[in-house]
Amino acid sequence: MVMVNRLAGATSPYLLQHAGNPVDWREWGTDAFAEAKRRDTPILLSVGYAACHWCHVMAHESFEDETTAAYMNEHFVNIKVDREERPDVDAVYMAATTAMTGSGGWPMTVVLDHDGNPFFAGTYFPDMPRHGQPAFTQVLQALSEAWTQRRSEIGAVADNVRQHLATISGAAGAAGDWQVDVDAAVETLAGEFDPMAGGFGGAPKFPPSMVLEFLRRAGGSPGADSRVSHMLSRTVAAMAGGGIYDQIGGGFARYAVDRGWVVPHFEKMLYDNAQLIGLYARLGTELGDRVARESADWMIRELGTAEGGFASALDADSEGVEGKFYVWTPAELVEILGADDGAWAAAVFEVTQAGTFEEGASTLQLRHRPDDVERLESVKARLLAARGERVRPARDDKVVAAWNGLAISGLVDAGLLLGEPKYVDAALAAAELLWRVHVQGVRLLRVSRDGTAGAHAGVLEDYGCVASGFLSLTQATGDATWLDRATSLLDTALTHFRAEDGGFYDTADDAEALVTRPRDSSDNASPSGTSAMVHALVTAHALTGEGRYRTAAEEALAATSTLMTKAPRFAGWSLAAAVTMADGPLEIAVVGPSGPDRDALEGAARRKPGAVVVVADEARDDIPLLSSRTPVDGKAAAYVCRGFVCERPVTSAEDLATTPT
């Protein structure tokens, strides 16, 4: 019997990676569940993503093995899911995996009954027993035996897990005061801060982008705890100097496997870099400007798609080896640069004979910038050119709505603060793609590839991040079209995602029904749907004056108050919003003829933490914040407002800079 290749028409690069497996993979859908019921077999759900190193390892060891595949095909109906394409499915079963095993990760392997209830879960399973861990084939055999001989036990486990999932999904946040205790959050973060290496906790270490933005905003308050600025400055410097940062090409890897940011897990994700570009640009430091510019250039160069959007990720592996594209030996440096520059570069980038990675190779670090900047830039350029001759990591070229929304916001901040119009132009191109391809009516679709949208509905983070991106463009361009587009998405989200307690579900009320309706307001590597929505709602209120947006933001934060208080590391974006909302945000309209005076006012305005800034030649009604705001005696003027109540306009950047935040 010839096996049908059911993944050949998938839009997901991850699913396409598995299209040639001997496993009879199916996409998630009713057909797969019907087939499992017809054959009376359990469902094996495998979840991962295209840039996932351990997903590749398990695929090579197990899913490409004819014997293992034959057993899977006989005893299971096998479903393959791209977590980035179906974050709702991933969220439900990751919650189950964490509940059943105490940890989670990818690849994720979950076994389900015919109604989608999980009764077994795990992550990576090796092809042979290791350190007491059973081989994947042993796991499969035990599960098949349990299904046929101990069905009642399986039913009891599935029932318990289903009840647990329903409890955590339906639990309303302990509604409290949205005006969180910033001092308490800082105290908790200080207790988890790594004073030696920066960041929070031990290995592995992920870039805490949203927590750092909270610290940036909190540090701007009068009388701020001195630890706030220290945690921020130490961490951004440590990350930028470590191997997690691509010292010659720009851009950050997903995380470091060690405490000191030396050795990354080499995959480079759009969502990380989109946030970090904006964060570093907002620092207003030489380091921040350099890292933001290098990373924005990298993102446009290596993740930009022909349609104007941004691809999701670059793989960790090339030629089947993790990190091979990025690491160097002293001999390779000498070969490329010559003896003198090679030895100099090895010292500058901490490339040693022993190596900091594997097989004597080292990641490039730049803990201290040498005085000879010209020599450094020459060395970097030659190494980048030489690296370009290596086999490149694969690119996951699907366009994810939420992550492109983050990219738009990050590029707008970098473009405006660094004086680089090309970054704003790139943001506009991505936004046009989202509007043209992903928005259908008033609803968002999650992914596209090669300019064609996939069928999967957008989730809450898509609405919040894309709306925020459109609102960033409103501020950058003064074009009210983007304001109208953003508010239409926010109105849809308020209609279809709102929870009874004022918070949000992650899926719409008319989305595909899963075992439970996912709801999680904690930030992970990217903002939660809830925190993304809060930021978009606050900005929309600042531009329009419509109180319903502010009210919705306050209610969502109130439903998240327990998380912000008890686990600030996982609520950084909500905390950043709460700090900004406490006395604002500042709403700044800069109005007047273009020229150096207006540019100076605009620059001072955009440096104020959390400020919503819009610039125009004259008063306009299509963006309410600009309504009735006129130049002063023909000169450009800045109106600083809170809740549309404005102070007297100022005409000098010096006066604006000293306006309290």
Side-chain angles (χ1 to χ4, degrees):
M1 178 179 176
V2 178
M3 189 177 71
V4 176
N5 187 340
R6 304 177 196 277
L7 302 185
T11 57
S12 160
Y14 174 63
L15 268 57
L16 291 172
Q17 288 175 356
H18 292 270
N21 292 168
V23 178
D24 184 14
W25 292 116
R26 295 168 180 262
E27 292 196 60
W28 178 274
T30 56
D31 289 350
F33 283 87
E35 178 66 8
K37 186 173 291 187
R38 184 187 71 79
R39 289 174 45 195
D40 193 26
T41 64
I43 294 159
L44 188 145
L45 171 65
S46 177
V47 183
Y49 58 102
C52 169
H53 170 70
W54 287 105
C55 299
H56 300 330
V57 173
M58 190 167 178
H60 296 323
E61 291 180 343
S62 298
F63 303 147
E64 295 171 7
D65 179 73
E66 295 283 352
T67 302
T68 303
Y71 193 90
M72 293 173 66
N73 295 339
E74 180 179 354
H75 297 280
F76 299 86
V77 166
N78 305 291
I79 296 178
K80 180 63 76 172
V81 166
D82 183 342
R83 76 170 183 100
E84 298 170 349
E85 192 171 63
R86 290 301 303 266
D88 51 343
V89 173
D90 177 65
V92 168
Y93 293 106
M94 184 58 73
T97 300
T98 303
M100 297 169 79
T101 69
S103 62
W106 300 277
M108 177 170 61
T109 306
V110 189
V111 185
L112 320 175
D113 66 17
H114 298 154
D115 296 317
N117 300 305
F119 60 87
F120 175 84
T123 52
Y124 164 74
F125 290 98
D127 63 335
M128 60 183 67
R130 297 180 192 173
H131 309 298
Q133 185 180 16
F136 187 52
T137 51
Q138 293 174 321
V139 171
L140 295 176
Q141 291 164 2
L143 288 166
S144 180
E145 179 185 355
W147 179 264
T148 56
Q149 299 181 18
R150 301 192 303 278
R151 188 76 63 90
S152 61
E153 295 178 20
I154 283 175
V157 171
D159 187 58
N160 287 337
V161 175
R162 183 180 64 251
Q163 291 182 34
H164 172 75
L165 294 177
T167 299
I168 61 176
S169 174
D177 188 348
W178 67 265
Q179 298 193 60
V180 70
D181 186 341
V182 171
D183 292 338
V186 168
E187 192 66 37
T188 300
L189 290 171
E192 299 173 345
F193 179 67
D194 182 343
M196 297 298 294
F200 301 91
K205 268 189 179 164
F206 292 79
S209 308
M210 292 156 281
V211 170
L212 295 176
E213 179 61 19
F214 159 62
L215 294 174
R216 190 185 77 87
R217 297 188 186 190
S221 302
D225 190 324
S226 62
R227 293 176 297 179
V228 170
S229 60
H230 174 68
M231 288 189 284
L232 172 63
S233 61
R234 180 74 188 99
T235 302
V236 296
M239 291 194 304
I244 193 174
Y245 183 65
D246 185 346
Q247 301 295 342
I248 62 174
F252 289 83
R254 181 166 166 250
Y255 65 87
V257 301
D258 61 289
R259 172 187 172 190
W261 310 101
V262 176
V263 177
H265 193 44
F266 289 89
E267 61 201 22
K268 294 168 83 171
M269 314 301 292
L270 174 62
Y271 53 72
D272 285 320
N273 287 284
Q275 296 175 85
L276 289 164
I277 286 167
L279 171 69
Y280 277 88
R282 292 189 294 270
L283 294 176
T285 64
E286 181 179 350
L287 170 71
D289 289 357
R290 175 177 61 82
V291 171
R293 183 173 284 108
E294 290 174 352
S295 298
D297 288 342
W298 165 81
M299 193 167 77
I300 293 169
R301 181 178 69 247
E302 298 197 23
L303 293 186
T305 70
E307 297 76 29
F310 292 96
S312 296
L314 297 182
D315 208 327
D317 301 2
S318 57
E319 301 182 81
V321 179
E322 183 184 10
K324 185 173 183 179
F325 183 72
Y326 296 101
V327 296
W328 301 82
T329 64
E332 288 172 328
L333 296 181
V334 170
E335 180 183 356
I336 300 300
L337 302 171
D340 289 345
D341 278 353
W344 184 83
V348 167
F349 291 119
E350 301 187 37
V351 176
T352 65
Q353 291 294 336
T356 56
F357 183 50
E358 297 173 352
E359 300 181 358
S362 294
T363 60
L364 300 185
Q365 302 175 69
L366 190 61
R367 301 296 183 178
H368 306 286
R369 296 268 292 175
D371 293 335
D372 193 342
V373 175
E374 184 176 346
R375 188 180 191 185
L376 175 65
E377 293 305 316
S378 171
V379 162
K380 287 170 58 177
R382 283 181 280 162
L383 290 178
L384 184 62
R387 194 175 77 178
E389 300 299 316
R390 295 177 175 179
V391 176
R392 289 184 172 275
R395 186 171 86 155
D396 180 344
D397 59 358
K398 71 178 180 295
V399 171
V400 175
W403 305 348
N404 274 256
L406 292 172
I408 292 165
S409 295
L411 286 170
V412 165
D413 279 351
L416 295 176
L417 295 171
L418 304 181
E420 291 283 4
K422 65 181 180 181
Y423 299 156
V424 178
D425 291 342
L428 275 166
E432 291 289 3
L433 173 68
L434 292 179
W435 185 257
R436 184 175 68 254
V437 174
H438 288 249
V439 179
Q440 297 192 356
V442 294
R443 305 304 284 265
L444 259 175
L445 294 173
R446 171 75 174 172
V447 299
S448 69
R449 189 164 183 252
D450 298 329
T452 300
H456 305 299
V459 295
L460 183 65
E461 69 166 345
D462 294 306
Y463 285 84
C465 292
V466 173
S468 287
F470 288 179
L471 293 168
S472 293
L473 285 173
T474 304
Q475 298 174 70
T477 66
D479 185 348
T481 301
W482 295 110
L483 177 60
D484 294 339
R485 291 173 175 178
T487 53
S488 72
L489 294 177
L490 293 177
D491 291 344
T492 297
L494 291 174
T495 299
H496 292 287
F497 291 83
R498 202 87 181 273
E500 297 78 7
D501 65 340
F504 290 94
Y505 287 101
D506 292 326
T507 55
D509 53 10
D510 54 0
E512 174 191 353
L514 302 174
V515 172
T516 187
R517 190 178 178 189
R519 181 184 184 188
D520 186 359
S521 57
S522 59
D523 298 323
N524 200 297
S526 58
S528 69
T530 294
S531 62
M533 278 295 298
V534 168
H535 278 262
L537 290 165
V538 171
T539 304
H541 170 256
L543 290 169
T544 67
E546 292 198 30
R548 62 195 178 92
Y549 293 141
R550 172 80 183 208
T551 298
E554 291 177 354
E555 291 178 355
L557 279 184
T560 313
S561 60
T562 300
L563 179 69
M564 291 192 289
T565 300
K566 296 184 178 300
R569 278 177 63 187
F570 303 97
W573 206 229
S574 293
L575 284 165
V579 168
T580 296
M581 291 167 63
D583 295 310
L586 288 182
E587 305 148 358
I588 305 178
V590 178
V591 183
S594 61
D597 291 342
R598 195 180 81 177
D599 291 346
L601 284 171
E602 180 182 355
R606 296 197 188 280
R607 285 294 180 191
K608 289 186 174 293
V612 176
V613 181
V614 65
V615 181
D617 294 335
E618 57 189 4
R620 289 164 38 192
D621 293 332
D622 55 354
I623 300 177
L625 182 56
L626 291 172
S627 182
S628 302
R629 317 296 185 213
T630 60
V632 174
D633 297 329
K635 296 180 180 179
Y639 293 78
V640 180
C641 317
R642 290 179 175 83
F644 271 56
V645 177
C646 303
E647 300 176 11
R648 296 185 63 172
V650 297
T651 57
S652 76
E654 292 75 13
D655 289 341
L656 180 56
T658 58
T659 301
T661 58

